[in-house]
Amino acid sequence: MRFAIILLAAALLLSPAAAQTGGTAIPTTTLSLGTATPGGGFPLYGNAFAEVMNAADPQITIAPRNTKGSNENIPLLEKGELDLALVAGEPAYEAFAGIGRAKVRLKILTAIYSNPGMFVVRADSPYKTIRDLVGQPVAFGAKGSGLPILARYVLDGLGLRQDEDFKAVYLDRAGDGPAMVEDGRVAALWGAGIGWPGFAAVASSASGARFIAPSEEEVTRIRAKHSFLKPMIVPAGSYPKQAEPIASLGSWSFVLTREDLPDDVAYRLAKTLHGVEATFCKKLAQACETTAANTVAAAPKPELIHPGVMKYFREIGVVK
């Protein structure tokens, strides 16, 4: 895989005309992209990302691959078994900071979308606040995904323990959660983001949905303990029958690259991606947040952005 990408890096220096030798085009190179379990937001985004990028640049093929999510994607990137991967904000934060592990040397290709966290319950349920859910069965997301980590930080800020104060359920597949809310196996499903499939499924169900997010006072308490979490808004209409905006908090998810992804490849990926921002936005609502400016703003530190990406950002004036 790495040898193929080194060949691609050299080929990218050639003009389209020079890329022909004896009438033979340079072969397409495939980059693997780790997503998560079926039914969640990462496969939805990753598949759309690959379709848009592959259509825009025929010399690179991005191949999405289902994984167990962020917590598997990070070590797969470190071992070079993935070229690119989607990673939620909290696992990325811990990995970059070396919390509970050695610091990673992975790089950011792009910020993808914000992840305001909240619970969804049936519209006819008696639960109105986070405290109402204490002692109840709650699905916190798929094993290995970033969602349970976000929930842990949010609940910790409120003095609650995810596995002790709730009957915590961890899913084998992200797509299993909505049916569990609908049939009463769990009181609530935790999730995050705008256009997240799990929330959309519950909101579209016969029973309908009610969303439970931290109150303004709870957001203040959470941020006093975990300041890396940022206030965020879920705009009205993000989900069926959601008439009002919802205030919550969360972080940004990223596409990360393995440490040794060549600069020329990262540059080309960034140039292709940000050249089709409008097309990507039309294809997937969440992708409207995938912009160069948001990547610069969301990165914990500028040096965590891949050097090839930073070269492109300097060229377009997003950074100096």
Side-chain angles (χ1 to χ4, degrees), residues 71 140-153 162 170 190:
N71 288 340
F140 282 106
K143 301 171 184 176
S145 79
L147 286 175
I149 300 176
L150 172 58
R152 188 183 72 226
Y153 278 109
Q162 189 167 302
Y170 300 100
W190 170 262

Side-chain angles (χ1 to χ4, degrees), residues 44-251:
L44 179 70
Y45 181 95
N47 290 340
F49 175 88
E51 288 178 21
V52 170
M53 294 288 283
N54 292 345
D57 188 346
Q59 286 191 2
I60 297 178
T61 295
I62 295 175
R65 167 181 159 188
N66 289 121
T67 66
K68 295 178 182 178
S70 299
N71 288 340
E72 182 180 32
N73 288 345
I74 290 171
L76 288 176
L77 284 170
E78 289 184 289
K79 291 185 288 187
E81 294 180 17
L82 287 173
D83 301 305
L84 312 169
L86 305 185
V87 177
E90 290 69 37
Y93 165 76
E94 293 183 346
F96 285 133
I99 296 174
R101 52 152 302 142
K103 290 184 180 181
V104 299
R105 301 180 68 178
L106 308 176
K107 295 299 181 182
I108 295 170
L109 177 71
T110 185
I112 60 175
Y113 51 67
S114 57
N115 283 291
M118 53 189 184
F119 296 93
V120 66
V121 300
R122 287 172 53 123
D124 59 359
S125 81
Y127 311 111
K128 303 291 181 64
T129 68
I130 294 175
R131 290 282 172 183
D132 290 343
L133 293 171
V134 170
Q136 300 300 319
V138 174
F140 282 106
K143 301 171 184 176
S145 79
L147 286 175
I149 300 176
L150 172 58
R152 188 183 72 226
Y153 278 109
V154 168
L155 295 173
D156 180 69
L158 300 176
L160 295 171
R161 297 166 298 176
Q162 189 167 302
D163 293 314
E164 287 81 9
D165 293 315
F166 303 84
K167 296 175 183 176
V169 176
Y170 300 100
L171 307 171
D172 292 322
R173 291 166 46 96
D176 294 340
M180 297 176 73
V181 174
E182 179 70 8
D183 64 21
R185 280 176 286 167
V186 296
L189 171 65
W190 170 262
I194 297 167
W196 188 61
F199 286 162
V202 178
S204 301
S205 68
S207 61
R210 181 191 308 119
F211 294 99
I212 299 175
S215 67
E216 184 176 351
E217 181 271 334
E218 287 174 330
V219 167
T220 300
R221 288 176 57 195
I222 294 165
R223 295 201 67 235
K225 189 167 186 180
H226 302 298
S227 60
F228 74 93
L229 296 176
K230 307 299 182 185
M232 295 178 175
I233 299 293
V234 180
S238 296
Y239 296 101
K241 300 180 183 179
Q242 180 212 337
E244 301 293 332
I246 302 169
S248 188
L249 79 173
S251 62

Side-chain angles (χ1 to χ4, degrees), residues 292-313:
N294 280 344
T295 298
V296 174
K301 297 178 181 178
E303 56 266 31
L304 296 176
I305 300 175
H306 196 291
V309 176
M310 287 295 280
K311 177 183 176 182
Y312 174 71
F313 285 173

Side-chain angles (χ1 to χ4, degrees), residues 267 292-293 296 309-320:
Y267 173 89
V296 174
V309 176
M310 287 295 280
K311 177 183 176 182
Y312 174 71
F313 285 173
R314 284 190 290 269
E315 287 181 3
I316 63 173
V318 175
V319 296
K320 295 181 179 180

